Every structure is written in C-alpha cells, then in structure tokens.
Amino acid sequence: MTTLERNEKLIQLALLMIALSAISILAIITLFIFKEGMPIMFKYGVNKFLFGLDWYPTEQSFGLLPMIIGSLAVTAGSLIIGIPFGLACAIFLTEFSSLRLRQIIKPIIELLAGIPSVVYGFMGVIILVPFIREHLGGSGLSVLAASIILGIMILPTIISISIDSLQAVPRSYREGSIALGATKWQTTKMVTLPSAKSGIIASIILGMGRAIGETMAVIMIAGNAVSIPHSVLDPVRTLTSNIALEMGYASGEHRQALFATGVILFIIIMILNTIANATAAKQRTK
Amino acid sequence: MTSNIAIESRDFSHFFGPLQTLKKINLQVFRNEILGIIGPAGSGKSTFLRSLNRLNDLVPGSRVEGTLKIDGKDIYAPDMSVVELRRKLGIVFATPVPLPRSIYENVAFGPKMAGVHSRRKLNELVADCLKQTTLWEEVKDRLDSSALKLSGGQQQRLCVARILALRPDYILLDEPCSGLDPISTMKIEESLRELKKQYTIILVTNNTKQAARVADRTAFFLSGEMIEIGQTEKIFTAPVDQRTNDYIVGRFG
Amino acid sequence: MYVNPRLEQRVVQSILWLFTAITVFILFYIIFFILKNGLPVLNYQFLTTNPTDMGKSGGIYSTIIGTIALTIGAILIATPLGVGTAIYLTEYTLESKITRVIRFGSECLAGIPSIIFGLFGFILFVTKLKFGWSILSGSLTLAFMILPTIIRTSEEALKSVPYNLREVSFSLGGTKWQTVTKVVLPSALPGIVTGVILSVGRSISETAAVIFTAGSALRIPTSIFSSSRTMAVHFYILAREGISMPNAYGTAAVLIIAILIINITAYRLMHKFMKKYS
C-alpha cells in the first residue's frame, strides 16, 4: 500500500471524530442544563416546580405552572394561525400555482424565516399591540398578540416542510386520480394530502417547537405577567421569557431555578422533536 | 522473463450481497491482445471488468471468491495497493464522464494525483496522450476551456487520453461506443488497433459486430457465467456452445 | 349535500390564493415598514460612529463590528465541523448505527431553542471556562447553534454531486481523500457556501443566545475576550427600553438589508448550483 492509502485510515478516523461533534455538543448541552437545573428541582420537589402557581424566586417559591400554561397557550394560539395559513400556502404552491409563481413565492416565504425574531416582536409592539388595545381592550400585550406573531413566525417552517412532503408524493398518484375525472381539489383532498400526511404533521410539530422555543419576540409582546391567563387578551409569561427576563440579574438558587425552567423547556422540545422525526421518518420509509 | 499470460482468473466469483453476479469465471488474457467480452445486459461482463481494477469495491455489499491474478499477483490480496492497481488498469466507461474541469486538467488529473507536479512533464504528457487519441489537433488551442464543451465523441477520446496519461499496462473499455455515432465509433476502433501495440486491452461490448471487428479473441458471458472463449473468428463462425450461436445470430440479447 | 366539484374547486382555489397572498403581503409589509421608518435615519455617519448615551444618540458602528466579529468567529468554528461531518456521512460511511446517532444529534441540536443555547453558553463559556461575556463565548455558542444547518446543507450539496465523477476519480488512481478534496468538494462548493451564507444570516439575527454570552458592551471590541453588542441585541435594547425609536428603526433597517442581501445571494447561488446538476 502507498503512504497515501495508509493515511486514509487516519483521515477517516479524524472525520469520524468531527462527525461526532454534533452529538457530543448535544450531550454537553443536556448535561450542563440538567446539572444546573435538576438539583434545585429535587430540593424543593418536582411537583412544586411543575404545579406551583407562585413564582417568587427570591423567596424560595418556584412555581412554573403559569409559565408552562403560558407557553402552551401561545403555542396553541400560534398553531391556530399558522396551520391554516401554512397549509394553504403549501397546497397552493405545490398543487395550484404555476411553476413560475412557485419559484418566485417560495424564496419569499423562506425569507420570512430569515427576518430576526426581534423584528417580529417589534412589529408586534408597534402595530399589533396598539390595535388590540384599541379594538379589543386590555393592554394589548396578550396571548392573542403573541399567538399572531408566533403564528407568522412558524409559517416558513410549516410551509417549506409541507411543500417538501407534498412534492414527494409521486406524480402518478395525481395523474391516476385526474384520469378518473376528479378535479384538482378532489385529487388534493383525496389523494395528495393523505399521502403527504406524516410529512405535514412533522412540519406542524416542528413549527410547534419553534413557537415554544421563541424568546425575544414573545418577551416584547406577551406582557410577561406571572399568572394563568383567563382570556386571550390577558398577558402571559412563557418558559423562555421567564429565563431571558431574569437571567441578567439572577444568582444562587434563583439562577438554578431558571435552569430548572430550561430543563422543562428542554424536555418539551425533545419530546416534540422525537415525535416530529419519527413521523417524518414514517413518510420516508413509505 | 514475463509470462505471456497477463491476467488469469481462476474460479473467480463475485457477489452483490446475496446476489451472485459472477460464477466461477476461468479465463486468461494474453499480453498485447484485444479480448472482446460479449453478452446480453446483466451477463456479468461489466462486473468482471470492474473486478479487474476493483471498482466494484466501491459498491456496498460487494464480495469476491476465487483468485484474480494480474501480472502474477493476486489483486485481492490484503497488501495490494488498490490505487496502484487502478493506475495500471485504466478504464473507459460507457458514457463519457469528463470531470468538470479544463481539457488539460482532465488529462493531467491522474498523474497529478500520483504526485507528478512538474509543469514541463505534465505538458509533455498531456500533449502526447491527446496526440495518441487524435484529439490534439482539435483541442490544442483551447486546452484551458472546459472539457464539458467538447462533443460526445471528443469527450470519449478525452477519457481515453486521460487513462493513457496514467501510463497503464491495461486498458479496460466498458461499452465505450454505446453512446456514440458511427463515425466517432470508427475513430475509437481505429485507435484501439493502434493502442494494441503497447497495451493489453479488454473490450466489453454489447455490439457483437464491434467485437468481431476489433477483438483478437472473444469471450461470451451469460447470466454470470463464461460460456465460451476463443479466437474471434472461431467464436463467430463455429461456436462450440449452442447459446453462443443463438446470441450471435441474434436469437436473444 | 352535493356541491358541484368544479364550483368547490374554484372556491377552494380562491381561498388558498388569498391565504398565500396574505402571507406574502405580511412579509412585504414588514420589510416595507422597517425600511420606510429606518431608511431616513440611515446615513454614512449612522454607520460609522459609535453609539453614545446608551444608544440614544450616535450611530451603530461598534455593534456592526461586534456582529461581524461574532459571525466570523461562529462560521470559522462551525464550518470545518459541519463540512467534515457531512463528508464523513456522505463519503466515508454507509448508513449504520453511527450515522443514525450523528444525524439524531444534528436534528436534535437544530430543534433546541436559542435561549437554551444561551443558558448553556453562559454557564459553560462565560462562567465555567471564565471566558466572560465575550466574542469568544458568543461565537462558540452561535457556532453550536448553526452547526446543524451547515451539516444539512453540506450533506445535500455533497449528495447532489453525481456518483460517476467519484468513480472516474477512483478509476484514475485517486484515493478517497483525493477524490473528496479534488473532485467532490469543488463541485459541491456552491451548495456548501449557500449553507454557510444562510448560517451567517442566522448569526446576525440571533438575540437570545448572544445576549447572555457576548454581553452588551457598546465599546468597539479589542480582542476575542471583549464583550460586544450585536446589532440585533442593540435593536432589542433600544426598542424594549424605549431608548430611541429612530435609532431602533435605523438599526432594524440595517439588519433587514443585510438579511435581504444574504438571502438573495444564497438563493441565486443555490439556483445556479441546482441548474448545474439537473
């Protein structure tokens, strides 16, 4: 064997080490977040964290329930906005638009994903919040405002992944249906959408993940009050906001409690990611 | 004194996963001859060719049994340098695949990877190889333009020039004219007769007439087995095996 | 109830069209709104003077420098890791348990919210490793965040290089590494660069992960251990604390213009790349 060929083994080994970087980083992040956040959860009881209503971190009161509910509320709200708009765009672009139009609109929608989240939050503060305050009442900083902005923010995720899975449906399926006299919409409804179902579901779950994980935009428009909201016009604080708002000055057990918030967020996200990957994989194997 | 036998295949079998693609092939290739291999699609003729320079190694699940000796050395022995083996056996594929580089860089690619960096040596080599494939006159003024701009026939001759630059002992041709027009095909065949003086050539083709025109001896492959090998004239006029005859007269394939 | 299929089709098509139009409108409106309010503030001086009085007056020069420094750092760290991973996955190995683990890691990393990266970067780089609030801490954190994007786009770019080019290189006596560096990588380069450019966009836009790792100092950074404020963080602080609306709009306009340039460049590059291999 030549020297070059002998070096191949070394190169392969080096590349393997590099390739393991992503999983190693994931492991280190998990380790650090849990190491910082778990002890305090066990010290005061996991139940207190998950179901406690009061958050007075300087007085050993670490109830995260309002924030958990807050995160879930704005995420659910964002899906109510994001799913119909996202799916409509994806279906329109794959099934009803001309190729040319799709080639123009798709990059435009992908551009939506590139806009910094602080800009979305800012637009919410400047336009949406005053609008809600004047027309619907309350301060305007609310579940509703956060839901709408998050709904817009998750559109690119839902649209581009749904488009991918719609496009992955073999052309012959559609042709078969059209040949039987079905209209384009009937074909979409009866043939294309069911075939692309798992990919679309994955896109929605990933959108959910984005909504739950979003921080800066939500801080700016959700009001950040630590209380369980009773209407969509009430302010809320999400798990992410809770961390970002107090991280700057927290210390000691307070800081650890913020890491505990991170742990809960982390677990929710991991569950969502696992479900999304599993559903996406289901379509691939089909 | 080197033996006149250049390549010797003894009970050589090849598998892709559970699928046996070559079944105990026994044949010999002599120095400076053109051996034609004919057979229908899926007969294993290309697989055999690609076993000779171990290109099949790249396909997952590829496995061999038996021995394949080139210049007396078992090429599947563990200490074999695959890189050196491939330099010794240049291969031309069915469709011309120029690298997305200049004409010059295409020809100089092999030598450069083998560590030749002297500009003067490379220049000489490139010119020489392009002349041998009669491409020189057509491209000498645009050596730096992209190889992708050449016509199909020119591209295929470039691919031949590219392997000549390796200074190989063997030339393997895997249906080299399947995508070419009759005139380009004629040019390639002409250069093969010329190249025979220096190289041992194995020509896999699904065009039986081509084998009849250029090969000294011809082997007939069917379903992974070698059915018959002999002087081209004999194979085409008086084959021993009925299946060979059926294939040549066009009853299948 | 029977609905005429053709009528149904028309109604549905109109609704879908309307929803798409609204989505596109929202995007244009955001861009228009920011540029309309921000462009009047933009001038040479705004870009080249440092913020004064917490950003109430002066320009945004130091935040531009901070953004660039942080982004370059992140790209320099993440690109070799990401491209190396992609090369390993596409060229050096078959689908196996190891590749599944690697892909799983990358996909999970992609889903982790930026605030978690911020927390992690804060605890590991800022406090444990004592890098402090610094460009180094921020770059490392951002690098981890953009790694999955670079892995995925590089992998796709490498996969789109036709197999027979590799075969040719091997047949000409190339080793695997020679094949990768001399044939595959050059052909995949535009696709890889696209991924890197998109990651630049993400780095520029990021706030949550950066604010807790790079800090928010307004001085021009002098070393990788200096704390630095990025444009996105600066904009956030200006807007949230109501320090200066005109300056906030100006900063946002610079951000938006940068993002537009980045996305258009990436898109055109990708387009050219796809055309070459289809």
Side-chain angles (χ1 to χ4, degrees):
Chain A
M1 274 194 236
T2 61
T3 336
L4 280 179
E5 281 175 286
R6 267 191 288 275
N7 287 346
E8 281 295 306
K9 289 261 173 277
L10 280 176
I11 293 171
Q12 175 154 11
L13 193 67
L15 284 170
L16 174 63
M17 300 314 256
I18 290 175
L20 290 173
S21 62
I23 187 81
S24 317
I25 290 169
L26 181 73
I28 295 172
I29 291 179
T30 315
L31 183 80
F32 270 91
I33 301 289
F34 278 72
K35 212 188 89 194
E36 293 294 313
M38 291 308 275
I40 191 165
M41 282 177 97
F42 288 126
K43 185 173 167 192
Y44 292 99
V46 176
N47 275 344
K48 274 203 173 143
F49 272 84
L50 287 178
F51 303 110
L53 288 170
D54 297 313
W55 173 260
Y56 299 112
T58 45
E59 294 159 33
Q60 282 89 44
S61 174
F62 302 112
L64 286 172
L65 188 62
M67 286 70 129
I68 295 172
I69 290 178
S71 279
L72 295 179
V74 296
T75 303
S78 73
L79 291 180
I80 293 172
I81 309 282
I83 293 175
F85 274 89
L87 291 191
C89 284
I91 294 169
F92 179 78
L93 290 177
T94 43
E95 311 296 324
F96 291 93
S97 87
S98 66
L99 182 69
R100 214 179 138 60
L101 192 62
R102 184 191 323 158
Q103 280 174 342
I104 297 169
I105 295 183
K106 205 178 169 220
I108 290 178
I109 285 168
E110 276 159 11
L111 187 60
L112 266 174
I115 291 180
S117 55
V118 277
V119 171
Y120 282 104
F122 183 68
M123 295 298 288
V125 172
I126 296 289
I127 294 167
L128 196 58
V129 168
F131 182 87
I132 293 174
R133 187 168 52 224
E134 280 157 31
H135 293 89
L136 301 170
S139 69
L141 297 165
S142 56
V143 176
L144 181 63
S147 299
I148 293 174
I149 293 294
L150 283 177
I152 296 170
M153 291 180 73
I154 63 174
L155 279 178
T157 309
I158 295 183
I159 295 173
S160 58
I161 298 172
S162 297
I163 285 183
D164 288 347
S165 63
L166 284 170
Q167 279 179 338
V169 176
R171 186 195 286 273
S172 57
Y173 286 23
R174 296 188 182 90
E175 281 167 356
S177 166
I178 298 275
L180 292 172
T183 63
K184 250 187 191 177
W185 170 242
Q186 284 173 322
T187 306
T188 306
K189 196 169 54 174
M190 313 283 202
V191 180
T192 320
L193 281 179
S195 313
K197 199 175 73 190
S198 22
I200 290 173
I201 292 173
S203 83
I204 293 170
I205 298 169
L206 288 174
M208 261 174 96
R210 254 208 98 179
I212 288 193
E214 180 47 44
T215 313
M216 296 331 239
V218 177
I219 287 188
M220 294 169 90
I221 49 178
N224 304 325
V226 185
S227 61
I228 294 174
H230 296 286
S231 95
V232 291
L233 298 174
D234 285 348
V236 279
R237 177 184 288 202
T238 63
L239 291 166
T240 53
S241 318
N242 193 44
I243 301 169
L245 283 166
E246 301 186 1
M247 198 56 205
Y249 60 87
S251 61
E253 288 198 332
H254 184 186
R255 181 186 283 173
Q256 289 174 10
L258 295 181
F259 273 89
T261 315
V263 168
I264 293 170
L265 181 63
F266 192 90
I267 292 172
I268 296 175
I269 291 285
M270 279 301 160
I271 292 172
L272 286 179
N273 279 343
T274 315
I275 298 172
N277 286 337
T279 31
K282 214 167 97 189
Q283 179 166 3
R284 273 200 295 277
T285 51
K286 256 199 312 206
Chain B
M1 179 67 211
T2 48
S3 142
N4 195 35
I5 296 171
I7 299 174
E8 184 168 30
S9 170
R10 214 178 275 160
D11 287 340
F12 183 74
S13 298
H14 179 269
F15 305 80
F16 281 134
L19 188 76
Q20 185 166 11
T21 43
L22 289 174
K23 294 168 192 161
K24 299 205 170 187
I25 304 294
N26 284 294
L27 63 77
Q28 293 172 336
V29 183
F30 302 123
R31 263 178 226 295
N32 296 81
E33 74 165 345
I34 299 182
L35 174 70
I37 300 183
I38 57 172
S43 59
K45 55 193 194 306
S46 287
T47 307
F48 180 70
L49 198 72
R50 283 156 178 259
S51 295
L52 292 173
N53 63 354
R54 292 186 58 174
L55 265 190
N56 284 332
D57 290 14
L58 303 176
V59 183
S62 176
R63 184 163 63 79
V64 300
E65 277 171 18
T67 53
L68 198 49
K69 281 186 179 174
I70 296 181
D71 297 334
K73 259 190 277 178
D74 180 357
I75 61 162
Y76 283 90
D79 63 335
M80 186 72 199
S81 160
V82 182
V83 164
E84 278 169 7
L85 175 74
R86 288 182 188 148
R87 278 187 203 129
K88 195 151 84 173
L89 290 91
I91 186 164
V92 178
F93 299 104
T95 45
V97 185
L99 296 167
R101 296 167 164 233
S102 70
I103 295 171
Y104 183 95
E105 285 298 325
N106 260 280
V107 183
F109 188 83
K112 271 190 176 173
M113 287 203 293
V116 180
H117 289 295
S118 145
R119 193 75 194 169
R120 198 178 51 81
K121 260 191 198 159
L122 285 175
N123 286 346
E124 272 172 27
L125 199 59
V126 169
D128 183 50
C129 296
L130 287 173
K131 278 173 193 159
Q132 280 192 63
T133 50
T134 66
L135 202 57
W136 177 249
E137 288 302 319
E138 296 161 53
V139 301
K140 66 179 176 192
D141 300 323
R142 47 178 176 131
L143 290 176
D144 287 328
S145 68
S146 168
L148 299 169
K149 287 187 189 138
L150 297 173
S151 73
Q154 286 175 324
Q155 284 186 357
Q156 195 60 304
R157 277 183 286 152
L158 179 71
C159 291
V160 177
R162 191 167 63 186
I163 59 164
L164 294 184
L166 298 171
R167 294 288 178 238
D169 297 329
Y170 300 84
I171 297 178
L172 312 177
L173 301 140
D174 192 357
E175 302 181 14
C177 302
S178 57
L180 299 183
D181 57 275
I183 295 179
S184 304
T185 302
M186 210 175 73
K187 278 188 183 168
I188 299 249
E189 286 178 7
E190 255 168 43
S191 53
L192 288 186
R193 283 186 204 103
E194 197 54 38
L195 292 169
K196 195 181 96 169
K197 292 169 192 159
Q198 288 178 54
Y199 306 95
T200 306
I201 297 172
I202 302 180
L203 168 68
V204 161
T205 178
N206 51 9
N207 176 349
T208 47
K209 294 200 184 78
Q210 183 170 49
R213 281 194 299 269
V214 295
D216 298 311
R217 291 191 309 143
T218 298
F220 173 59
F221 275 50
L222 183 66
S223 310
E225 278 178 84
M226 196 203 65
I227 305 296
E228 190 169 353
I229 183 168
Q231 293 299 319
T232 299
E233 222 181 83
K234 183 162 178 293
I235 292 279
F236 278 91
T237 52
V240 178
D241 197 290
Q242 184 58 36
R243 288 169 293 183
T244 314
N245 189 49
D246 288 350
Y247 180 69
I248 287 165
V249 300
R251 225 163 268 166
F252 66 90
Chain C
M1 190 185 77
Y2 176 78
V3 184
N4 180 336
R6 298 206 174 278
L7 183 71
E8 188 191 358
Q9 153 122 349
R10 290 198 112 157
V11 172
V12 168
Q13 194 164 352
S14 312
I15 294 173
L16 294 178
W17 186 90
L18 183 71
F19 275 44
T20 311
I22 292 174
T23 306
V24 173
F25 170 78
I26 289 172
L27 174 85
F28 277 115
Y29 186 73
I30 293 174
I31 294 173
F32 167 79
F33 185 84
I34 296 289
L35 291 184
K36 191 193 88 181
N37 290 291
L39 283 181
V41 186
L42 284 195
N43 54 37
Y44 182 71
Q45 215 185 352
F46 184 75
L47 296 175
T48 55
T49 54
N50 283 335
T52 47
D53 199 9
M54 299 303 288
K56 196 173 278 178
S57 50
I60 56 166
Y61 182 66
S62 64
T63 67
I64 295 177
I65 298 298
T67 308
I68 293 173
L70 223 61
T71 305
I72 290 177
I75 296 293
L76 285 182
I77 299 162
T79 306
L81 291 180
V83 176
T85 303
I87 290 175
Y88 183 77
L89 288 175
T90 51
E91 310 293 326
Y92 276 83
T93 186
L94 300 170
E95 285 302 314
S96 67
K97 256 197 192 115
I98 294 180
T99 62
R100 274 200 294 277
V101 167
I102 293 168
R103 285 213 172 80
F104 170 80
S106 172
E107 275 166 19
C108 283
L109 214 53
I112 290 181
S114 53
I115 186 76
I116 299 276
F117 280 99
L119 272 184
F120 161 74
F122 174 76
I123 203 73
L124 178 60
F125 303 129
V126 177
T127 57
K128 288 261 155 56
L129 296 176
K130 298 199 168 58
F131 297 157
W133 281 299
S134 62
I135 289 180
L136 183 61
S137 305
S139 293
L140 282 164
T141 310
L142 275 181
F144 290 2
M145 223 175 92
I146 60 178
L147 182 61
T149 310
I150 297 190
I151 293 177
R152 207 186 44 240
T153 46
S154 304
E155 216 190 322
E156 272 165 28
L158 292 171
K159 274 187 190 156
S160 65
V161 175
Y163 175 74
N164 53 20
L165 288 183
R166 296 178 176 82
E167 203 174 52
V168 164
S169 171
F170 285 125
S171 76
L172 292 172
T175 62
K176 197 157 227 175
W177 184 240
Q178 284 175 325
T179 303
V180 168
T181 50
K182 300 217 160 72
V183 177
V184 183
L185 274 183
S187 303
L189 197 62
I192 293 173
V193 172
T194 307
V196 172
I197 293 176
L198 289 175
S199 308
V200 169
R202 258 201 93 183
S203 307
I204 292 178
S205 313
E206 184 49 41
T207 317
V210 171
I211 198 165
F212 298 120
T213 53
S216 55
L218 275 171
R219 284 184 310 274
I220 292 183
T222 49
S223 82
I224 55 166
F225 293 104
S226 309
S227 166
S228 180
R229 186 185 288 196
T230 66
M231 286 190 284
V233 172
H234 187 54
F235 169 65
Y236 171 73
I237 292 174
L238 290 184
R240 175 137 174 85
E241 296 178 7
I243 293 171
S244 160
M245 274 330 221
N247 280 3
Y249 277 119
T251 316
V254 176
L255 272 176
I256 290 283
I257 291 168
I259 295 295
L260 279 177
I261 292 172
I262 284 166
N263 273 274
I264 292 169
T265 315
Y267 178 74
R268 292 184 62 166
L269 208 62
M270 199 62 201
H271 210 67
K272 248 167 97 179
F273 180 62
M274 295 310 257
K275 232 159 110 186
K276 199 164 138 194
Y277 292 116
S278 61

